[in-house]
Amino acid sequence: GKAYDSRLMGRLLTYLRPHRGVVAIATTLLIATSLLELAGPLLTKIAIDRYISTGDTDGLVRISLIFLGTLVVAMVLGYVQTYIMQRMGQEIMLRLRAQIFGHLQGLHVGYFDRNPVGRLITRLTSDVEALNEMFTSGVVAIFGDLITLLGIMGVLLAINWKLALVAYAVLPLLFWLSLWFRNNVRENYRQVRIRLARINAFLQEAITGMSVLQIMNHEKRSRGEFDGLNRSHTDAHLRSIFFYATFYPMVEIISALALALVIWFGGGQIIAGAFSLGGLVAFIQYVRRFYRPIQDLSEKYNILQAAMAASERIFNLLDTEATVTDPDRPQIPARERDGIPAIEFRNVWFAYRDENWVLSDVSFRVGRGESLAFVGATGGGKSSIMSLLLRF
């Protein structure tokens, strides 16, 4: 349930080490893009105070071209940054999926008795995708939002510190709203993930066992069970929609309240001759942009929450010790007189979990052309000792 776990994050960042150069370039491009976005309101202030108020058409054309140039450069830098980060994320996911699948092949068969295949498929699909979203639009993007937020705060204080304090008056209300949103979304997200895992596990069991389900005439019952799981998953998503539908409009209301205070106080300063019209227009633009990174950070919190939950499940799987491994010095198989290999089992023991031994120290050898079968009392199911047919 943690939104951030330093231990898990440390393991996740190891996947970024081969891409340190890409991350550095993406971070530099993101900082440059943030700075270019901060330049827009300042250029508007200069255009109003220096050129529009004095009727300087040539100066207005120059400042407009500079404004257009910053927009174009910011667009190009944003495109390059998004492309290289998405490409890096796909390469990391390629390596991570291969690592998980390779590890699954080395686990003991008893592990698959205790863990539904549908749940394991979720590790390779949606859990890995959650990590991809964190790598591509989480780690670096959070840093960019913080740079933008701190930059706007600094510029507002530099333009007019008194007006900046007026704009900051609504921040306690925004902080409380963000805290409420974070706590509720975190718990709701956990419930969504639990219900999704249940759906995947049920679908795997139902589809792979479809022949048995139809033989036993359990289609209606199975459909009813799936409807219950599906409805539970939908209800959890609908509850999350409520929190999103409440949070973002409330942020807009708080932003509108801050703008009203800025217009009221800043307009009074303009009337008193203590502030310029261009400064007030730039200030309003900065205030409107001030709340966008806050909304983005709330969204990034959800991405981080998803990544922490997914990484915990993935690393629990990867930390499970593999019992099927290649020996350091493989032995050459036993061969018969004519050079044709044989299959030999020595001292085989087997038991289901929490049950008595059903095979006790069994040894046998099967040569070429020989058939050997072990059949229990009923010939199938757990009541049989073993149902095995070897033809070599």
Side-chain angles (χ1 to χ4, degrees):
K2 292 183 179 180
Y4 177 79
D5 190 314
S6 58
R7 179 183 59 86
L8 293 176
M9 182 58 71
R11 294 186 65 174
L12 287 175
L13 292 180
T14 58
Y15 291 94
L16 288 176
R17 289 177 182 174
H19 308 277
R20 289 189 295 266
V22 174
V23 174
I25 294 174
T27 304
T28 303
L29 293 176
L30 196 60
I31 294 175
T33 303
S34 300
L35 294 177
L36 289 173
E37 291 180 353
L38 293 177
L42 284 178
L43 294 175
T44 302
K45 178 181 181 299
I46 295 173
I48 294 175
D49 292 341
R50 292 186 182 181
Y51 305 120
I52 295 179
S53 60
T54 60
D56 188 351
T57 305
D58 294 336
L60 183 61
V61 171
R62 288 195 299 271
I63 203 70
S64 299
L65 292 176
I66 294 174
F67 198 172
L68 179 62
T70 59
L71 294 177
V72 173
V73 174
M75 181 189 69
V76 173
L77 295 181
Y79 167 80
V80 175
Q81 187 265 339
T82 302
Y83 178 82
I84 62 176
M85 288 300 296
Q86 291 290 338
R87 184 179 180 86
M88 180 199 71
Q90 292 301 320
E91 292 176 354
I92 292 176
M93 294 309 102
L94 175 68
R95 183 158 54 97
L96 183 58
R97 287 194 182 100
Q99 181 184 3
I100 296 173
F101 184 74
H103 185 75
L104 283 172
Q105 292 180 308
L107 295 179
H108 191 272
V109 291
Y111 181 84
F112 301 94
D113 292 335
R114 299 187 299 270
N115 295 272
V117 177
R119 187 180 301 168
L120 299 178
I121 291 175
T122 304
R123 303 294 173 267
L124 280 161
T125 54
S126 59
D127 284 343
V128 172
E129 190 61 32
L131 296 184
N132 177 41
E133 195 169 2
M134 188 203 73
F135 285 126
T136 56
S137 60
V139 177
V140 178
I142 289 176
F143 182 72
D145 288 333
L146 290 175
I147 291 295
T148 302
L149 194 61
L150 295 176
I152 291 176
M153 294 179 67
V155 173
L156 291 180
L157 291 172
I159 294 177
N160 191 322
W161 66 271
K162 293 181 180 180
L163 195 57
L165 294 179
V166 172
Y168 298 157
V170 299
L171 288 182
L173 182 60
L174 184 63
F175 175 78
W176 174 84
L177 180 64
S178 299
L179 189 64
W180 170 84
F181 176 75
R182 184 192 68 179
N183 293 336
N184 285 281
V185 168
R186 177 176 62 185
E187 179 60 28
N188 189 80
Y189 179 78
R190 293 176 62 191
Q191 296 301 321
V192 170
R193 300 297 298 179
I194 290 173
R195 284 158 174 76
L196 178 61
R198 290 175 180 172
I199 288 179
N200 288 338
F202 179 84
L203 286 175
Q204 184 274 328
E205 292 177 356
I207 294 175
T208 56
M210 187 60 66
S211 58
V212 177
L213 188 148
Q214 292 177 350
I215 290 173
M216 302 301 295
N217 195 26
H218 277 195
E219 296 93 330
K220 184 176 181 180
R221 177 180 175 183
S222 179
R223 189 163 55 246
E225 292 178 7
F226 179 75
D227 288 342
L229 293 173
N230 196 19
R231 172 53 59 185
S232 177
H233 181 256
T234 302
D235 291 341
H237 267 293
L238 291 177
R239 285 193 294 271
S240 68
I241 292 174
F242 165 76
F243 296 119
Y244 279 96
T246 303
F247 175 72
Y248 288 107
M250 288 299 298
V251 171
E252 291 297 329
I253 292 175
I254 294 174
S255 175
L257 178 60
L259 287 175
L261 292 174
V262 167
I263 293 173
W264 169 72
F265 189 83
Q269 286 191 323
I270 291 176
I271 295 174
F275 199 39
S276 66
L277 178 60
L280 180 60
V281 173
F283 209 94
I284 291 174
Q285 291 181 349
Y286 278 122
V287 170
R288 292 185 64 87
R289 298 186 182 192
F290 178 76
Y291 293 94
R292 187 173 62 190
I294 295 177
Q295 292 177 324
D296 291 341
L297 287 174
S298 299
E299 185 64 27
K300 299 301 185 296
Y301 174 85
N302 296 330
I303 294 175
L304 189 62
Q305 171 75 18
M308 290 296 101
S311 63
E312 184 173 10
R313 290 189 291 267
I314 289 175
F315 290 141
N316 282 338
L317 170 60
L318 293 176
D319 291 340
T320 302
E321 184 178 357
T323 57
V324 183
T325 57
D326 294 331
D328 296 332
R329 296 181 178 179
Q331 298 181 357
I332 300 175
R335 296 179 179 274
E336 297 181 345
R337 290 191 300 268
D338 55 0
I340 301 175
I343 296 177
E344 182 176 0
F345 286 76
R346 295 181 182 177
N347 310 113
V348 178
W349 293 74
F350 176 77
Y352 291 102
R353 186 180 182 186
D354 300 329
E355 294 185 10
N356 296 327
W357 292 102
V358 294
L359 288 180
S360 302
D361 197 17
V362 176
S363 300
F364 58 89
R365 178 186 179 90
V366 183
R368 180 175 177 82
E370 296 179 348
S371 298
L372 181 64
F374 290 89
V375 183
T378 62
K382 291 187 176 181
S383 61
S384 66
I385 295 178
M386 184 179 182
S387 179
L388 171 65
L389 177 65
L390 292 173
R391 182 171 183 83
F392 188 68

